[in-house]
Amino acid sequence: MYRFRRLRRDERIRSIMQETRLHPKDFIYPIFVIEGENIKNPVESMPGIFQYSIDRLEEILEQVKEAGIGGIMLFGIPLHKDPQGSQAYAADGITQRAVRFIKEKYPEIYIVVDICLCEYTSHGHCGMVQGEEILNDETLPYLVKMAVSLAETGADMAAPSDMMDGRVAAIREGLDQAGFTQMPIMAYSAKFASAYYGPFRDAAHSAPGFGDRKSYQMDFANGQEALREIAADIEEGTDIVMVKPALAYLDVLKEAALTFDVPLAVYNVSGEYAMVKAAAANGWIDEKRIVMENLTAMKRAGAKIIITYHALDAVRWI
Ligand code: PBG
Ligand code: ZN
């Protein structure tokens, strides 16, 4: 009989044998920036998460800096929405102003910007709309404009989350032509149409006004198709590939890790966070242990980068 338990006898040998270890740099922390002044709005369905106006951002940026995490991911919430999402690529849009503010006050923080129109459009869809249809090719120039305008403010990385076909190639070309050949793209490549985004849509005011996102986000039943989406984004020149959500899709993440030689990210989304927080608030689970187990599983499955609302807590628990 082989005795596996020899290497589990006490904490010292267990910690030597540990295969997967979390590090603060693994994490990217999403931040919601809202137009207005002196705002720190709690997001009800995401305990511990707030919408900040720019003048209140420092409070959370200090914590980010202190935690030494990899970076932040910015989501802007504009006051004005229109069918074209014009505030997404306005020079003085909320996200543009937020990036400039952070760059000036916290140049050491790595800033990823989400590239998508749904927070900025009056209909709440991620692209241009004609009747009930979400247009693909007509949307691409707007995504390019958004990426370039944020690159101009000093954002470090662009993360397109819209799921239009061909957007990685379009954004890469647009960034290159504007002189931002060094700005990496992290594509939400395998992004599934998921009920797990519910709390985010409260936080970012981005719920679709009609219908759903199933004509552009993926069917959660499809693992093969996820690999084809990823292959296409690599072909189009993405630097990093993301799978989203995380927990119900670790098979996709693992499969991607075995299939492709490309850095992988995973997005531990709002609904996953909300479930943990709700159960923990009820005393039904041990929050710290559950969070560390979940995040370690994501890294074990192959994620180089974990985008998570737990980031600041997790750093304290490592
Ligand atoms: C915007 C976007 C969404 C998320 C990230 N970027 C919402 C959506 O696609 O509806 C979800 C993040 C989360 O749930 O935490 N397209
Ligand atoms: Zn969107």
Side-chain angles (χ1 to χ4, degrees):
M1 167 173 63
Y2 181 72
R3 295 189 181 275
F4 285 95
R5 292 182 55 186
R6 283 180 202 128
L7 300 181
R8 293 177 200 150
R9 277 189 88 193
D10 66 30
E11 190 49 41
R12 293 167 307 153
I13 184 63
R14 284 197 293 272
S15 72
I16 290 171
M17 295 312 296
Q18 195 164 72
E19 296 177 31
T20 308
R21 288 196 178 95
L22 294 169
H23 187 280
K25 297 292 179 205
D26 296 337
F27 303 131
I28 289 181
Y29 183 66
I31 295 180
F32 299 102
V33 191
I34 192 164
E35 215 140 2
E37 271 165 41
N38 197 22
I39 299 171
K40 182 187 174 186
N41 272 342
V43 178
E44 217 143 295
S45 49
M46 302 176 72
I49 301 297
F50 300 83
Q51 302 166 328
Y52 296 91
S53 54
I54 291 177
D55 60 343
R56 295 285 300 270
L57 264 183
E58 277 176 83
E59 174 183 330
I60 191 71
L61 296 172
E62 276 302 322
Q63 294 175 52
V64 165
K65 185 175 154 184
E66 177 75 15
I69 58 173
I72 60 172
M73 183 172 230
L74 276 188
F75 294 95
I77 309 163
L79 258 184
H80 171 78
K81 303 189 188 221
D82 56 37
Q84 282 75 36
S86 59
Q87 286 300 303
Y89 39 85
D92 63 346
I94 178 66
T95 316
Q96 284 77 2
R97 279 184 282 135
V99 175
R100 275 191 231 106
F101 174 84
I102 300 167
K103 276 284 140 194
E104 192 185 316
K105 296 252 171 166
Y106 295 87
E108 66 274 55
I109 294 181
Y110 196 84
I111 307 176
V112 182
V113 284
D114 186 84
I115 305 297
C116 196
L117 301 174
C118 53
E119 292 119 79
Y120 305 88
T121 51
S122 40
H123 43 72
H125 277 287
C126 303
M128 296 301 123
V129 164
Q130 190 172 59
E132 299 274 287
E133 182 153 5
I134 318 306
L135 303 173
N136 192 88
D137 299 16
E138 291 78 355
T139 299
L140 300 181
Y142 294 93
L143 297 169
V144 172
K145 281 211 285 195
M146 183 179 185
V148 169
S149 98
L150 287 163
E152 282 166 352
T153 65
D156 293 296
M157 180 185 278
S161 70
D162 53 282
M163 288 300 278
M164 299 301 129
D165 291 321
R167 93 273 210 209
V168 171
I171 291 171
R172 182 71 273 158
E173 193 190 334
L175 288 173
D176 288 353
Q177 278 177 3
F180 299 105
T181 56
Q182 293 303 314
M183 188 191 213
I185 295 175
M186 172 164 65
Y188 289 66
S189 301
K191 177 174 179 179
F192 293 87
S194 171
Y196 282 104
Y197 308 152
F200 174 94
R201 292 177 189 174
D202 299 336
H205 303 165
S206 68
F210 66 88
D212 53 41
R213 304 211 201 287
K214 289 181 184 167
S215 75
Y216 42 108
Q217 298 180 350
M218 290 186 55
D219 184 336
F220 56 72
N222 297 358
Q224 270 314 113
E225 188 186 350
L227 297 179
R228 292 172 57 216
E229 276 277 7
I230 292 169
D233 282 359
I234 294 172
E235 182 73 27
E236 288 182 35
T238 194
D239 300 279
I240 299 172
V241 157
M242 192 201 299
V243 173
K244 175 186 175 195
L247 291 171
Y249 301 86
L250 292 185
D251 59 325
V252 175
L253 181 64
K254 180 71 188 186
E255 196 79 29
L258 294 172
T259 310
F260 303 104
D261 182 19
V262 64
L264 294 172
V266 72
Y267 198 141
N268 176 209
V269 300
S270 57
E272 299 174 310
Y273 175 84
M275 291 196 304
V276 169
K277 296 299 272 192
N282 273 295
W284 295 338
I285 57 168
D286 180 329
E287 179 177 356
K288 173 180 165 178
R289 290 179 54 211
I290 291 269
V291 166
M292 296 312 272
E293 188 171 331
N294 284 348
L295 297 176
T296 302
M298 294 168 207
K299 189 164 179 177
R300 190 191 64 225
K304 175 78 195 133
I305 294 173
I306 302 172
I307 301 150
T308 180
Y309 304 97
H310 296 293
L312 300 179
D313 291 329
V315 165
R316 288 198 301 272
W317 297 333
I318 284 173

